[in-house]
Amino acid sequence: MKLNIKSCLVAGMFSLTMASCSLLGPIDDIHPENVLDDETVITDARSAEIAVNGIYEGWRAKSSIYNALFLRTGVMQSSSVSGARSFLTGDIQDDNVIVEETYIFLYYIINQANSVLAALDKDIKGLSEEENLNYQREAKFNRAMANFMLLRLYGEFCNMDSQYGIVLHDAPVRDNTPKARATVRQCYTSILDDLKEAEVLPVKHSSLGTVAMYYGNYLSAKALKAKVLLSMGNFDEAYKLADEVITKGADEGIMLEPVYGDIFSSFQSTDLLFYPYTMNNQQTVAGYRYDWSAGAGNTLRKIAALYPEDKRYAWAFDAENMISSYRMNKYQMNDNVDKVPGNSLYMLRLSEMYLVKAEAAIRKPAPDFTAAREALRPITDRAGFAADFVDNVADKDMLMTVFYQKYLELFGENFEDWFDMIRYNKLDGTDWVALGYVNSWTRLALPIPRSAIAGNDLLVQNP
């Protein structure tokens, strides 16, 4: 079966249809109910808001890639999700259902963003020029995040000179015009261009006056950019930007939660830099993401055992004080009650900026171990470590300590640990198989879906 981007998006629209008319797609010949094309979807300020919210809602549509990569990095013990076990063994084929589903889902978000950008390229009734520009910047923030995820999943993101980037789209897809992959360098340029525009977005507030971190803003754009720069190997700039997010975040009320578990009890957590929009049970992550019935994976158990004083792992899997129906306390909100926020899907947290800053400080051309320790200290202090823990870590052990702390801080959230493993392997030669943390070291870049290649004769498979 051939699968081109257009047919992928049409299929995605049917599967993602929600109660509001917030889904749109640039299709010329099919107009299903609740799906508007980019020529008519935005006619006034209200429809512009709905269309932009539709981009954010897309992030909560698919979740099987989470189970798959949680298995791969040993965070999760087992999963019944179709196609996930292949990630555990490394035998990931180009017809794997998760490989195809994730590819479609991410390009769907990109096409949503491009459709909004096309529709906003005109005067909109009731929408000021600045409001119009800010909606465009939000669309570009989401496009940058989706392209970055695609690049890290399906491209050779750690090799700036690689030809194996992803297919870039800066306009709505209306037909099956073949298009080649961009180089990795071109992909990063496109992502950074989008984030540069998003860096001026103000922080929005809810009707209650609280910060609304379910919208892109200058803090989330800079946080994402810091991660992009770390992946590119621009460690000086990644360090500076992570530090800037920490400093300026405090001015907006964004700071580390004193108690780790409080991060996951409410979307009002001060630790959050970006989480996709959620309002009711139609915008939650599908339940199969929370496949924790078998408990923590072997790697998570091993790393947690290195640090018996760590409170994060113990809290997340505390059987006597389990408050989550999913058997892991990071998912404790209710997915099934109307008008009650759905469960956590945290894509950017302030804690991660401390860890990005720590790693970048070590990897800079002029390593600064003092700065790395001071960046790491607030994370380990909150996790229950001794006040002098970071002072007693030898310089030669600092990089792996940062890895372990990031793994324990973010496990079960956004599969950042997999991209960290790839980076540490490429830069430091870390053998994760020899350490017993992964079962195989193949298919570091997921194969491009067979059906996508069949529909695009310029699309080249990963080696």
Side-chain angles (χ1 to χ4, degrees), residues 36-290:
L36 305 177
D37 65 38
D38 50 281
E39 298 298 327
T40 60
V41 68
I42 297 180
T43 57
D44 55 23
R46 176 56 180 158
S47 57
E49 180 185 24
I50 291 172
V52 173
N53 282 350
I55 306 172
Y56 292 107
E57 291 170 354
W59 287 109
R60 288 183 168 267
K62 295 293 181 181
S63 59
S64 52
I65 187 63
Y66 289 84
N67 274 347
L69 288 180
F70 292 165
L71 276 180
R72 185 157 213 190
T73 59
V75 168
M76 182 179 280
Q77 183 66 23
S78 65
S79 174
S80 59
V81 173
S82 177
R85 182 164 179 78
S86 296
F87 285 71
L88 183 64
T89 63
D91 183 25
I92 309 169
Q93 301 301 315
D94 59 5
D95 60 350
N96 181 284
V97 63
I98 297 175
V99 168
E100 182 175 299
E101 173 190 271
T102 304
Y103 194 81
I104 295 171
F105 142 63
L106 290 170
Y107 273 115
Y108 180 85
I109 291 174
I110 291 167
N111 213 59
Q112 289 280 80
N114 286 336
S115 293
V116 167
L117 289 166
L120 288 172
D121 191 21
K122 61 184 178 183
D123 291 334
I124 304 295
K125 180 182 178 182
L127 203 63
S128 71
E129 181 180 359
E130 185 63 18
E131 289 170 332
N132 188 316
L133 286 173
N134 281 341
Y135 279 145
Q136 292 184 51
R137 291 162 180 153
E138 287 185 65
K140 290 181 179 180
F141 166 77
N142 281 277
R143 183 171 69 182
M145 179 168 281
N147 275 326
F148 186 45
M149 191 175 289
L150 276 164
L151 178 62
R152 294 202 292 175
L153 286 171
Y154 296 92
E156 295 183 342
F157 73 93
C158 270
N159 182 358
M160 290 294 292
D161 297 320
S162 173
Q163 63 180 312
Y164 296 104
I166 57 172
V167 177
L168 295 173
H169 294 281
D170 58 6
V173 175
R174 290 187 171 87
D175 53 39
N176 189 30
T177 303
K179 193 169 186 180
R181 299 170 73 159
T183 66
V184 169
R185 192 176 301 274
Q186 289 169 334
C187 292
Y188 277 125
T189 297
S190 176
I191 293 166
L192 291 176
D193 285 346
D194 277 350
L195 291 176
K196 182 177 181 180
E197 296 200 36
E199 283 180 35
V200 300
L201 278 167
V203 173
K204 295 183 181 182
H205 292 78
S206 71
S207 59
L208 300 176
T210 56
V211 290
M213 300 309 286
Y214 41 84
Y215 294 114
N217 55 59
Y218 76 94
L219 287 174
S220 51
K222 288 177 182 288
L224 179 57
K225 185 177 179 179
K227 294 176 61 170
V228 171
L229 292 169
L230 188 72
S231 290
M232 294 174 66
N234 190 340
F235 303 119
D236 274 319
E237 293 303 312
Y239 174 87
K240 292 175 185 176
L241 207 52
D243 182 66
E244 181 181 346
V245 172
I246 294 167
T247 302
K248 292 188 175 180
D251 297 335
E252 302 283 358
I254 303 300
M255 57 193 71
L256 293 181
E257 286 279 5
V259 178
Y260 182 74
D262 288 349
I263 298 170
F264 307 95
S265 64
S266 168
F267 285 123
Q268 301 306 318
S269 169
T270 60
D271 205 292
L272 303 183
L273 286 168
F274 178 65
Y275 63 93
Y277 182 76
T278 180
M279 185 174 66
N280 56 51
N281 63 316
Q282 292 176 313
Q283 296 168 347
T284 59
V285 177
Y288 57 69
R289 177 183 172 194
Y290 310 110

Side-chain angles (χ1 to χ4, degrees), residues 18-37:
M18 299 178 184
S20 68
C21 299
S22 59
L23 299 187
L24 60 140
I27 52 179
D28 302 319
D29 52 353
I30 300 177
H31 295 270
E33 185 179 0
N34 292 334
V35 179
L36 305 177
D37 65 38

Side-chain angles (χ1 to χ4, degrees), residues 420-439:
D420 291 343
M421 285 182 170
I422 293 175
R423 185 171 61 257
Y424 273 65
N425 174 262
K426 296 294 184 184
L427 297 179
D428 313 315
T430 307
D431 189 337
W432 301 108
V433 176
L435 286 170
Y437 290 167
V438 298
N439 290 335

